[in-house]
C-alpha cells in the first residue's frame, strides 16, 4: 500500500515520453534480479544517458549471474554482450564471440560481393 503521494512533478504514465516508458519497462524487466532476461530492442527509444544506464544495468545483471539475451538493430548495446547470433532473412549468418562476429560483419560490408554461407563467422 502506498502511504505517500507522488511529487507534483510526477507525470501520469500516459504522458511519459517514449524514452521514459522504455526506461520504466526496462526497470520492470530487471526488477527482482531475474535469472533470464530477454530484451527486445531495449535501446530503441533511449537517449545517450538512457543507453549508458541500460549498458550498466545489463553488465550488472550479467555480473550477478543472469543470462541476458538482447535482440537489437542498433549496435551500441552489443558492447555489453559476449556472444552474437546474426540472422538475415530468417537464417543464421554468424554466431560466436562478439568481437569476431563484429569484425566479420565489418569485413562483409567492405567486400559485399563475397558470398557468405549460413554458418560463416
Amino acid at each position: 500500500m502506498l502511504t505517500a503521494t507522488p511529487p507534483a512533478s510526477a507525470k501520469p504514465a500516459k504522458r511519459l515520453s517514449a524514452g521514459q516508458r522504455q526506461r520504466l519497462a526496462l526497470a520492470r524487466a530487471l526488477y527482482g534480479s531475474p535469472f533470464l532476461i530477454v530484451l527486445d530492442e531495449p535501446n530503441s527509444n533511449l537517449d545517450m544517458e538512457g543507453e549508458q544506464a541500460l549498458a550498466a544495468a545489463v553488465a550488472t545483471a550479467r555480473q550477478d549471474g543472469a543470462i541476458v539475451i538482447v535482440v537489437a538493430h542498433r549496435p551500441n548495446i552489443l558492447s555489453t554482450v559476449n556472444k552474437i547470433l546474426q540472422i538475415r532473412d530468417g537464417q543464421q549468418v554468424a554466431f560466436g564471440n562478439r568481437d569476431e562476429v563484429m569484425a566479420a560483419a565489418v569485413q562483409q560490408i567492405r567486400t559485399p560481393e563475397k558470398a557468405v554461407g549460413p554458418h560463416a563467422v
Side-chain angles (χ1 to χ4, degrees), residues 9-39:
S9 62
K11 296 181 183 180
K14 62 185 174 184
R15 292 188 189 174
L16 296 174
S17 71
Q20 289 169 324
R21 287 192 306 271
Q22 184 79 359
R23 288 180 95 167
L24 182 60
L26 290 167
R28 287 174 49 195
L30 296 168
Y31 180 77
S33 301
F35 175 72
L36 175 64
I37 304 165
V38 180
L39 302 173

Side-chain angles (χ1 to χ4, degrees), residues 66-113:
I67 297 170
V68 182
I69 299 172
V70 178
V71 178
H73 286 95
R74 292 171 51 187
N76 296 357
I77 190 62
L78 298 180
S79 66
T80 64
V81 303
N82 59 345
K83 300 278 186 196
I84 292 180
L85 169 63
Q86 182 182 3
I87 298 174
R88 184 180 305 119
D89 299 326
Q91 299 292 316
Q92 176 180 320
V93 175
F95 176 75
N97 176 282
R98 176 196 61 224
D99 296 335
E100 293 171 4
V101 172
M102 293 297 286
V106 168
Q107 182 62 29
Q108 184 179 2
I109 290 169
R110 290 183 180 154
T111 57
E113 67 279 351

